[in-house]
Amino acid sequence: PRRRAPGVRLSRRTPASSDAPERGHHVFSPEVTAQLQRIELTTRGLVESLFSGEYHSIFKGRGLEFSDVREYQPGDDVRAIDWNVTARRGHLFIKEFVEERQLSTLVVVDLSASKSFGTGAKDNATVAAEIAAILALAATSNNDRAGLLLVTDRVEHFIPPDTGRRHAMRLVLELLAWRPAGRGTRLSEGLRFAEKVLRQRSTVFVISDFLTGTTSDPDLQHAARKLAWDHDVVAIRLLDPAAAMLPRVGLLAVVDPETGRRRVVNTSRRRVRERYEAAHAEARARVDELFRDLRLDTVDLVTTEDYLPPLIGFFRRRARSIQ
């Protein structure tokens, strides 16, 4: 009998049918293995030296749990006095508490076809995988649980949160090896799914270029609002400067990676370039408005630049804001 990997559901093989929805699948190749090893080497030192302390300071535990009692000392909070022990011992004792540290972190990664685009040294999908690795390893280094949710225009793959470095690297491997069935972007599907499966308050990182808004995904605002009501949601937006403008190169054949639609545009015409830039700016403004409306913490990462400074800067700003 086949063994079932934790968090991976095996189903009986069914006859092929044109009515059956297409499903994503894994492709484990030497290239994926090499990429995993490179990401592990790259992120290990970063997490240990930069992120662990920051992560612990900005993502607090669920509350306090009783640890022990000790004798009262001048300056102690009188509200912590344990009157039952004090009555038995004849002098003051106070309760000590420790933070109930373990949290759950869910990393939601948008795997729509637009992530194959990238004008930097790495495409957006690779940048997303490295950021997901850093977040998962930072969580598990603090003995927290980390999970993974892959989404396109549907929920592609889900691995429930668990602890341990080995589990964190498994998340990265699953992310690198997954070949999605969907090509479009519908983040609302993933956010609704996350809201259903998360049983306790969690930190949810959403990694996407957010090249979708309330126009193409009318349910996004409602799904994001509902998730943010019960959980700590952080939007990590991947920005590629080349996606915001058309180069002036004459006739240019372009393909929408998510719909497959093809067309030829004349980039020599200033009006064509201006209309494209205006449409992109309007789409980004709608997403900015959504973030402001929901008061979400947002990290904008330019994929042609080093993403570590803004990511570290976010961690440190947030740590200062809650002190």
Side-chain angles (χ1 to χ4, degrees), residues 119-120 124 127 237-242 284 299-308 310:
T119 57
N124 291 354
V127 174
R237 180 164 52 179
L238 306 182
L239 302 173
D240 192 312
R284 179 171 174 177
V299 189
D300 283 342
L301 304 180
V302 179
T303 57
T304 56
E305 301 173 2
D306 184 0
Y307 56 76
L308 285 176

Side-chain angles (χ1 to χ4, degrees), residues 170-185:
R170 180 207 165 189
L171 300 185
V172 182
L173 176 60
E174 297 263 358
L175 172 57
L176 294 173
W178 187 257
R179 298 298 178 266
R183 298 183 61 83
T185 305

Side-chain angles (χ1 to χ4, degrees), residues 20-93:
E22 185 182 358
R23 300 184 62 183
H25 59 281
H26 292 98
V27 175
F28 297 103
S29 64
E31 291 77 14
V32 168
T33 302
Q35 193 174 8
L36 176 69
Q37 292 173 343
R38 182 181 60 79
I39 288 178
E40 182 177 17
L41 290 174
T42 301
T43 58
R44 179 186 299 173
L46 291 172
V47 170
E48 292 176 352
S49 62
L50 297 174
F51 283 92
S52 292
E54 304 291 349
Y55 182 96
H56 184 94
S57 64
I58 68 175
F59 300 110
K60 298 295 186 181
R62 289 174 290 174
L64 298 177
E65 59 181 4
F66 175 74
S67 173
D68 202 353
V69 294
R70 63 170 174 81
E71 291 189 19
Y72 176 86
Q73 297 177 0
D76 285 338
D77 189 346
V78 296
R79 292 173 296 180
I81 294 176
D82 187 325
W83 293 107
N84 291 329
V85 176
T86 295
R88 290 198 305 268
R89 299 288 184 89
H91 53 282
L92 292 174
F93 277 80

Side-chain angles (χ1 to χ4, degrees), residues 26-240:
H26 292 98
V27 175
F28 297 103
S29 64
E31 291 77 14
V32 168
T33 302
Q35 193 174 8
L36 176 69
Q37 292 173 343
R38 182 181 60 79
I39 288 178
E40 182 177 17
L41 290 174
T42 301
T43 58
R44 179 186 299 173
L46 291 172
V47 170
E48 292 176 352
S49 62
L50 297 174
F51 283 92
S52 292
E54 304 291 349
Y55 182 96
H56 184 94
S57 64
I58 68 175
F59 300 110
K60 298 295 186 181
R62 289 174 290 174
L64 298 177
E65 59 181 4
F66 175 74
S67 173
D68 202 353
V69 294
R70 63 170 174 81
E71 291 189 19
Y72 176 86
Q73 297 177 0
D76 285 338
D77 189 346
V78 296
R79 292 173 296 180
I81 294 176
D82 187 325
W83 293 107
N84 291 329
V85 176
T86 295
R88 290 198 305 268
R89 299 288 184 89
H91 53 282
L92 292 174
F93 277 80
I94 67 168
K95 297 178 182 178
E96 288 190 313
F97 297 87
V98 296
E99 182 185 358
E100 191 179 358
R101 173 60 237 173
Q102 194 175 63
L103 299 170
S104 284
T105 294
L106 180 64
V107 182
V108 181
V109 183
D110 172 11
L111 285 186
S112 57
S114 62
K115 303 306 166 298
S116 60
F117 177 79
T119 57
K122 307 166 186 174
D123 62 27
N124 291 354
T126 301
V127 174
E130 293 183 0
I131 296 171
I134 288 173
L135 297 174
L137 287 168
T140 55
S141 293
N142 280 276
N143 199 35
D144 292 340
R145 293 181 293 270
L148 179 68
L149 176 62
L150 306 180
V151 60
T152 54
D153 50 16
R154 68 199 74 178
V155 173
E156 291 277 350
H157 193 45
F158 171 63
I159 303 174
D162 204 346
T163 57
R165 180 180 183 83
R166 191 171 181 178
H167 173 75
M169 294 316 301
R170 180 207 165 189
L171 300 185
V172 182
L173 176 60
E174 297 263 358
L175 172 57
L176 294 173
W178 187 257
R179 298 298 178 266
R183 298 183 61 83
T185 305
R186 198 170 182 84
L187 285 173
S188 59
E189 294 290 330
L191 301 187
R192 275 199 297 263
F193 182 86
E195 196 270 332
K196 290 178 182 178
V197 299
L198 293 174
R199 302 300 182 188
Q200 67 181 55
R201 182 170 178 82
S202 305
T203 301
V204 182
F205 293 99
V206 184
I207 304 174
S208 174
D209 55 16
F210 291 94
L211 292 178
T212 181
T214 54
T215 301
S216 56
D217 190 356
D219 300 327
L220 178 59
Q221 183 170 3
H222 177 73
R225 186 183 302 278
K226 192 172 181 181
L227 182 65
W229 180 263
D230 293 320
H231 303 281
D232 185 5
V233 180
V234 179
I236 298 180
R237 180 164 52 179
L238 306 182
L239 302 173
D240 192 312

